[in-house]
Amino acid sequence: MNNLPEPVRVVQLPDGTYTYADHLPVPIQPTGPQVVHQHIHQAPPDRTVQRIALGSGIGAGTVAAGVYFGPLLVGALTAIAANLALLAFLATVLARGVVSVVKSGGGPDGKAAAKTLSKARKRRR
């Protein structure tokens, strides 16, 4: 009296994977050798700048410094450009304010100058 279950058989399928034999619907017949076509499309990382720098005698420390300080330089230049743009805007607003104050309270000379400017503008059109 043997109450033990049958041992489970593991078989290798033609595609190379393993499975239990009791899950297969039909017995597996070995077929000939299988040809696997594998196409790998992966571009290597672009290290052109590092190769040029190291090939021309620049050390690895210089390359690392360029990698580290390059973005910092771009950020600093962007901040400077933003500050200059803000200063230019403020100068424009202040100049316009000064002109309007001179026009409104400049007395007869200011009014005569404003008239002359407005006539000159009208002639250009």
Side-chain angles (χ1 to χ4, degrees):
M1 293 220 189
N2 191 356
N3 292 336
L4 295 174
E6 281 187 39
V8 178
R9 260 189 38 193
V10 177
V11 294
Q12 185 176 10
L13 296 175
D15 65 353
T17 59
Y18 292 92
T19 187
Y20 294 107
D22 59 347
H23 290 198
L24 296 176
V26 293
I28 298 175
Q29 299 294 328
T31 58
Q34 190 174 13
V35 178
V36 176
H37 296 281
Q38 186 175 10
H39 300 280
I40 299 174
H41 300 282
Q42 180 181 2
D46 187 17
R47 303 196 187 279
T48 307
V49 174
Q50 287 91 342
R51 286 188 185 127
I52 291 171
L54 293 172
S56 63
I58 297 176
T62 307
V63 173
V67 169
Y68 180 76
F69 289 113
L72 289 177
L73 179 64
V74 169
L77 292 176
T78 304
I80 291 169
N83 286 338
L84 289 176
L86 180 65
L87 288 175
F89 176 73
L90 285 175
T92 304
V93 169
L94 290 175
R96 178 164 270 203
V98 168
V99 167
S100 66
V101 166
V102 168
K103 275 186 183 180
S104 65
D109 292 333
K111 290 181 182 174
K115 253 188 200 177
T116 306
L117 285 175
S118 65
K119 285 180 186 177
R121 285 185 191 156
K122 287 180 184 175
R123 285 185 206 146
R124 284 190 218 159
R125 290 181 191 177

